[in-house]
Amino acid sequence: MEKKKNLCDMPAEEFKDAGFKLIEWSANYLNNIEKLPVLPDIKPGDIKLKLPTEPPENGEKFDEIISDIDKIILPGITHWQHPNFMAYFASTASGPGILADIVSSTFNSNGMVWKSSPALTELEQTVLEWYRKILNLSEEFKGIIYDTASVSSLHGIAAARENLNLNIRNKGMTGIPKLRLYCSEQAHSSIDKAAITLGIGLEGIKKIPVDSDFQLIPAELEKAIEDDIKNGILPFCVVATIGTTSTTSVDPVDKIAEICKKYNLWLHVDAAYAGVTAMLPEMKDYFIGINEADSIVTNPHKWLFVPIDLSVFYTKKPEVLKRAFSLVPEYLKTNEDSLVDNLMDYGIQLGRRFRALKLWFVIRYFGVNGLKERIREHIRLAKLFASWIDEHPMFERLAPTHFSTVCFRAKIDGMNEDSLNNLNEKLINEINSTGKLFLTHTKLNNKFTLRLVVSGIRQEERHVKQAWDLINKKLHELINLK
Ligand SMILES: *Cc1c(COP(=O)(O)O)cnc(C)c1O
């Protein structure tokens, strides 16, 4: 007699065994990560070559799948969890955050409406109240979780547009004056993408010049607004940044807020990276005026050890966001609609995963003090590195180090700007090709600039020292070759 086929899921015992193995695999990976090169030594297409072009007709053993992680996937991983990853904004996932993701997938709840998983909505609201208090934000702010800062800012700017009461929701962008959004030249490209998506268009953004510290100049903002009004253009929103992506500069939010009040403009603050530092009393000067904002974005997945993705959006005007996006088809109407918030009403997505779990686990496991101590240590280490740069005759710093990001370059006396740009580009390529450190770059006033970021949970002073030694060694090799 033929055995009856199992058409259900992986059996519980097998799930448990495979789960233990996989957790062991993850623990070993994290424990031994320093033995791996931070950047993989591969060419485009190398990983695809190792993967079968056809899917398996029949199921495979779970062990085979795990062993291909080692054989095929691992050699193509850029190790974000590596303490020598000091590129972009180094973002790491902590143990409790990783484990929370397993719970989230285990429930596989979808938080469209309160009824579709009450705990999802209520934990999200509660944890965002905790987080709001941790960041010392006004209790007028109500939070919602999106995937990324790009999507959070898109919703902030969409709410700003809705706040004009031009009935754009129904009529679209026809028959209205040209709208204008303002941000600094240093604002993140996600603001441009939001303008593209929302029909504002790239020409609908005015990029305001910055001062020598890369901060938006308020007088230039006011002048641009006045010019636009004279020309029949309708200003509607200003995006200020606390911690820009290139240099982590801080726009003067208090002064910008005054201008927004005067002209009745929505103020959105992008603090995707630096927002977490609002929990430290010694950083409060960077956040002056933040409670005047209409909306704010900060990403726990950047510098709060929560696995990607989890971005938090706060607004004082959730009713405007709801007006912009709420649209309830018959099948999603519930008896509790008048009693609860249905998260689908506050954005473009219907389904949402249970992301609040990982923020909840991380805050509870480390505690507010544990999080503060870690972020404070990262800032200390970045400032230590900055002091080594400042003391060295062959290096210079190219922007203030407010948080945990240092912008610098090698500078050799007598070399012109073009040669310096070449030298620094070679330097970063040499450094990254060792596999011992990963840095990324930016351009500041046409100068090729290296960025070193300390914001990973596994980064200690010894890693910053090793990075400094490697940078010096590679610079010496480069200039001795000449
Ligand atoms: C990283 C960053 C973003 C984009 O974040 P995503 O979550 O990847 O969309 C936006 N703004 C600033 C200031 C950032 O640092």
Side-chain angles (χ1 to χ4, degrees), residues 115-214:
K115 196 179 201 93
S116 69
S117 213
L120 189 158
T121 299
E122 295 190 17
L123 184 71
E124 176 162 328
Q125 291 174 334
T126 304
V127 170
L128 294 190
E129 273 295 289
W130 286 9
Y131 190 48
R132 179 189 66 69
K133 289 178 189 165
I134 295 171
L135 298 187
N136 303 302
L137 295 174
S138 151
E139 60 186 21
E140 290 169 81
F141 285 107
K142 294 283 168 280
I144 183 157
I145 295 175
Y146 299 121
D147 53 0
T148 57
S150 304
V151 170
S152 292
S153 288
L154 172 74
H155 284 91
I157 297 165
R161 193 182 66 166
E162 176 62 29
N163 203 38
L164 289 168
N165 288 316
L166 290 175
N167 201 15
I168 290 168
R169 175 186 162 113
N170 289 315
K171 302 210 153 157
M173 298 285 277
T174 51
I176 56 166
K178 191 170 166 47
L179 305 185
R180 187 81 83 197
L181 166 74
Y182 307 85
C183 61
S184 95
E185 293 166 341
Q186 294 286 319
H188 189 265
S189 53
S190 57
I191 307 307
D192 304 56
K193 284 204 180 180
I196 293 169
T197 310
L198 292 166
I200 312 295
L202 292 175
E203 289 176 9
I205 306 182
K206 186 141 284 162
K207 300 270 170 98
I208 307 299
V210 293
D211 64 16
S212 57
D213 284 341
F214 307 99

Side-chain angles (χ1 to χ4, degrees), residues 258-277:
E258 272 172 35
I259 296 171
C260 287
K261 206 162 272 168
K262 180 169 167 191
Y263 294 93
N264 198 20
L265 308 179
W266 185 284
L267 174 58
H268 175 66
V269 174
D270 179 358
Y273 151 76
V276 292
T277 66

Side-chain angles (χ1 to χ4, degrees), residues 48-96:
K48 277 191 194 159
L49 276 178
K50 288 197 242 168
L51 291 164
T53 52
E54 304 300 321
E57 287 292 332
N58 296 309
E60 298 180 68
K61 292 240 161 23
F62 200 77
D63 279 347
E64 287 170 28
I65 307 176
I66 298 187
S67 82
D68 277 349
I69 294 202
D70 282 321
K71 281 196 268 200
I72 302 176
I73 303 301
L74 201 64
I77 293 285
T78 297
H79 298 285
W80 284 72
Q81 300 275 46
H82 202 301
N84 298 334
F85 184 109
M86 300 186 184
Y88 310 112
F89 284 130
S91 309
T92 47
S94 58

